[in-house]
Structures are given as C-alpha cells and as structure tokens.
Amino acid sequence: MLLVKVVTQVKLIPDAAQASAIAATMHTFNSEANWVSEVAFMNGVPREYALRKLAYAQLKERGLGAQVAQHVIKKVRDAYTTLHAGLRAQNLGRPGSKRRRTAQAKPVVFRPQAAQPYDDRCLSWQYDAQAVSIWTTAGRLKNVRFACSADALKMLQQYRKGESDLIERDGVFYLLAVCEVPEAEQYEPDGFIGVDLGIANIATTSTGYQAAGRGLNRYRKRQLALRAKLQKKRTKSAKRRLKERSRREARHVTNTNHIIAKTIVTEAERTSAGISLEELKGIRQRVRLRKPQRVTLHSWAFAQLADFIVYKARRAGVPVVHVDPAYTSRQCCECGHIDKKNRASQALFICLNCGVVAHADRNASHNIARKGDAVWIAGRESRVPATP
C-alpha cells in the first residue's frame, strides 16, 4: 500500500514551570549541537558512526540522556549532509564564490530555538487527554497539554509514525508529527482538467475555475513596502518585526495554496477526471520578464501549490500527470496553430489562423488538459505487454 506523508502540527499549552523547562531543554540541545558541529568540522565531518565515537561519551557526561545524545549527533550529521548537497547543487554559488567559501570555512551553527527531533522513547502521546509526556533536562514532564483541530487529532491517532519535531515560534511551542496516510486507489480518469499557473491568475482550470491573484498581489506589494521601511531602520525591534511579518506572509501564502489545491482536487474527484499540471522545473530560467515582474515571480510559491495539488490528489485517488509547458500559451486550443503573436496581451488570446478569441489563461489550460490526455494514453500503452 502506498502512503502519503502529511505533517500535522499541534500547539503545546504548558504551564509556566513546564514552559521554562522546555525552553531550557531546547537551548541545551542546540548548544550541544553547536559543540558537536565544531567537533565534526575539526575532524573533517566524519560519518555518523565515527562522529558518535568522538562525541557520544562526552554528551552523556554533559547530562544528556542516551537517546537524546544520539539525536543531537544525527541532527548535526544531517545538517552537514544538507550543506554538502547544497554545495553540489551550487545553491550557495559556484566554486570560488564568496558565499560558498564562507559556508565552507566555518562549522554549521544552530539557533537556540532550532527544531529538535523526539522519538517515541523521549515523547509519548495521550490522545484522549490531549497531552504529551516529554523528556527535558529537568526530568520528564507529564501531562503537557496540546491543542489542535478535531481532524488533526483523528489523523494523529490513526496515522502518526516515527519522530516528532519540537519547535518554538515567538515563545510558543509546537510539535510537528509525521502521519503516513494510506493513498486512495487511483481510478481511471474520464478526461483531464488542465491547470495553468500564473501571476495575474494564480491558477486557471479548463473547467472554468479561476483563482484571481489581484488581491494576493496587492497584499504582497503592501508587505514588500512595509519590509522596505523596516529594513531602513536597522534596529533590533525592526528586525524582530521583519521576522514576524515574514512568517505571517508565509502562513498567508500557504493557506491560499491549500484552498486553491483543495478546490481543484475536489472538482476533479467530483467529475472523475484527472489533473494535468505543467512541469515547473526550471521555470525561473525559462521565463523572461521585465525587472518589476521578477519579484512577483520569484516570491510566489508555485512549487508549493503544485505539491499541495499532488498530495491532496493522491489522498483522493485522483490521477495526476505533468506535461511539458512549451507553447501552451501560444497555441490555439481549437485549431492547434502556434504563433507568438497569438497572445495579443496578458489576458487576451486571438488566434491568427482561425480567429478564435479566448482568455489567454483559459486557452492555455485547455492545451495543458489535452497534453495530459496524451501523456496518460502514452503511459497506459507503454504498460500493455506486446503481442507475441
């Protein structure tokens, strides 16, 4: 059975003594992680087993439990693995660049509030009482209350697996738990719904749904202006406000993407259709925009929206295919004629061959839907065994 991994967040509601113990524990975890990071850096970042030999005994002497010490070492090694993967992908610049040299010249540093993983030995859940028992440097805390929605609680009870991460945001503690939800059986689609992603309209489908981006773009423009004002002040309070606004904007974007994705998947499930998405890899390199438009393109989470659509579709059993986006905005969905001049404006499509007039995004979504049908048929034919 295939599984879909969903991260469920719950808010801890500790009393004053419990909150103090949890905060001190997180600071201790990350302080020890910084020490292990220095040890790893000085020894050429050895593999996890070798790093345990160098750091495990001393972590135990410093007061950490056996299981917690193992988690601190694994956390450090995972951080270096991520760093090296970013270097290989040139996410930190090309070899010899200043940013890359800076990243390689010093150990990885963990913030005092950085997330800390807990397994079932260090953290136990009491779902009926909506409480957890959690290990801290002050001893094990029992009956630490948590709050979440009824759906989140049900998901935790049925599907929670593996570790949970303890995080802190603005003095509030949260637990992030991974739930492995069984994927629904995929049905045979009766056609495909094409989804065109854009800036003026976040998502336009071939069935008529359109998530207009006007209000969201106004919101993001206002946030951009507020960030610019705060950045000029260069004070501690301004930096704190910047972080708060950044998180608020990220939550707003995530919520918007969830709503759009749910609407599209629900429509596909209701009509027994599949979903056809554009392949977004390399979109920033492919698209050519004027300078004022680049901020909008690079700041919107296109990949997040596509990921939300895919995982919600998998949970509902809705087939999803990814298609090549080439010429979808220039091709007429009626006659198939391709011409750059067909795109009369951002919103208007006028075919120079057959004269059809349509909304540009709606025309593109129909082309994406047709490509989805072709990809699905080609994939199905490739799975049919050849006749002997």
Side-chain angles (χ1 to χ4, degrees):
M1 179 184 293
L2 297 175
L3 300 173
V4 180
K5 290 188 177 182
V6 180
V7 177
T8 303
Q9 177 178 282
V10 303
K11 178 182 178 180
L12 293 183
I13 313 175
D15 58 34
Q18 291 172 338
S20 178
I22 294 173
T25 300
M26 289 195 69
H27 289 190
T28 300
F29 279 158
N30 290 298
S31 175
E32 297 302 330
N34 285 329
W35 174 78
V36 176
S37 179
E38 292 177 1
V39 172
F41 185 78
M42 289 187 295
N43 289 273
V45 192
R47 293 183 179 273
E48 188 175 332
Y49 179 75
L51 187 56
R52 290 182 194 279
K53 287 186 176 182
L54 293 170
Y56 177 73
Q58 293 191 51
L59 287 174
K60 289 289 298 297
E61 292 175 1
R62 290 166 175 256
L64 293 187
Q67 197 67 14
V68 175
Q70 302 275 17
H71 279 301
V72 169
I73 294 170
K74 185 176 184 300
K75 172 180 174 177
V76 172
R77 192 62 189 84
D78 288 346
Y80 277 101
T81 300
T82 302
L83 173 63
H84 293 157
L87 292 173
R88 287 195 299 272
Q90 296 189 4
N91 294 336
L92 298 173
R94 296 181 179 179
S97 67
K98 182 178 179 181
R99 186 182 177 194
R100 188 185 183 99
R101 290 199 308 270
T102 302
Q104 293 175 305
K106 59 183 180 180
V108 172
V109 177
F110 298 88
R111 295 176 294 103
Q113 296 85 16
Q116 178 62 30
Y118 277 85
D119 62 10
D120 288 342
R121 296 183 185 181
C122 306
L123 175 73
S124 59
W125 297 76
Q126 293 85 46
Y127 301 113
D128 293 337
Q130 283 198 220
V132 296
S133 171
I134 186 170
W135 184 94
T136 69
T137 52
R140 195 170 187 97
L141 300 181
K142 297 183 179 180
N143 298 319
V144 180
R145 302 273 298 173
F146 69 83
C148 64
S149 67
D151 289 340
L153 182 61
K154 183 178 179 181
M155 184 175 292
L156 287 169
Q157 288 177 305
Q158 294 180 343
Y159 305 119
R160 188 191 66 81
K161 296 289 183 182
E163 297 178 348
S164 302
D165 283 349
L166 174 66
I167 65 172
E168 179 187 350
R169 294 198 201 105
D170 301 326
V172 180
F173 299 101
Y174 299 89
L175 283 171
L176 305 181
V178 177
C179 297
E180 296 183 351
V181 182
E183 184 176 328
E185 185 177 355
Q186 195 175 86
Y187 55 77
E188 185 70 22
D190 182 18
F192 276 81
I193 295 175
V195 181
D196 178 63
L197 303 179
I199 295 173
N201 296 304
I202 302 169
T204 304
T205 70
S206 55
T207 56
Y209 170 70
Q210 190 175 74
R214 184 179 304 169
L216 184 63
N217 288 333
R218 281 201 302 264
Y219 169 81
R220 295 179 72 83
K221 188 176 181 180
R222 185 167 64 251
Q223 296 301 315
L224 181 64
L226 290 171
R227 283 201 303 271
K229 289 182 180 179
L230 289 172
Q231 287 168 346
K232 288 181 180 179
K233 293 186 177 181
R234 299 178 178 271
T235 61
K236 288 186 178 180
S237 61
K239 292 178 180 179
R240 185 173 64 251
R241 292 286 301 279
L242 278 169
K243 289 182 179 179
E244 292 173 359
R245 288 197 168 275
S246 175
R247 288 192 288 267
R248 185 183 304 169
E249 186 174 349
R251 290 194 298 270
H252 182 77
V253 169
T254 300
N255 182 62
T256 302
N257 281 339
H258 269 300
I259 294 171
I260 296 171
K262 185 176 181 179
T263 303
I264 293 171
V265 172
T266 302
E267 174 68 13
E269 186 180 14
R270 185 183 64 82
T271 57
S272 298
I275 297 175
S276 179
L277 295 172
E278 295 175 290
E279 178 56 63
L280 294 177
K281 187 175 181 181
I283 186 173
R284 287 176 171 81
Q285 288 73 34
R286 293 197 306 267
V287 177
R288 296 291 181 268
L289 295 172
R290 292 187 297 272
K291 190 171 183 179
Q293 295 174 306
R294 293 174 195 165
V295 174
T296 307
L297 173 69
H298 294 297
S299 61
W300 181 247
F302 289 103
Q304 185 191 67
L305 175 56
D307 289 343
F308 285 174
I309 293 173
V310 169
Y311 100 77
K312 290 178 189 293
R314 288 178 61 190
R315 288 185 61 184
V318 177
V320 177
V321 297
H322 289 83
V323 302
D324 184 359
Y327 306 113
T328 53
S329 63
R330 300 180 183 179
Q331 183 177 16
C332 176
C333 64
E334 295 293 335
C335 68
H337 177 67
I338 299 175
D339 195 315
K340 185 177 181 179
K341 296 179 181 179
N342 283 347
R343 189 75 178 260
S345 66
Q346 187 278 325
L348 184 62
F349 182 93
I350 302 176
C351 180
L352 299 179
N353 183 54
C354 66
V356 69
V357 179
H359 190 283
D361 293 340
R362 188 69 51 76
N363 175 80
S365 68
H366 283 290
N367 289 328
I368 294 168
R370 189 177 62 254
K371 284 190 175 186
D373 279 319
V375 169
W376 180 263
I377 292 171
R380 185 171 54 186
E381 289 177 348
S382 67
R383 293 191 291 269
V384 176
T387 305

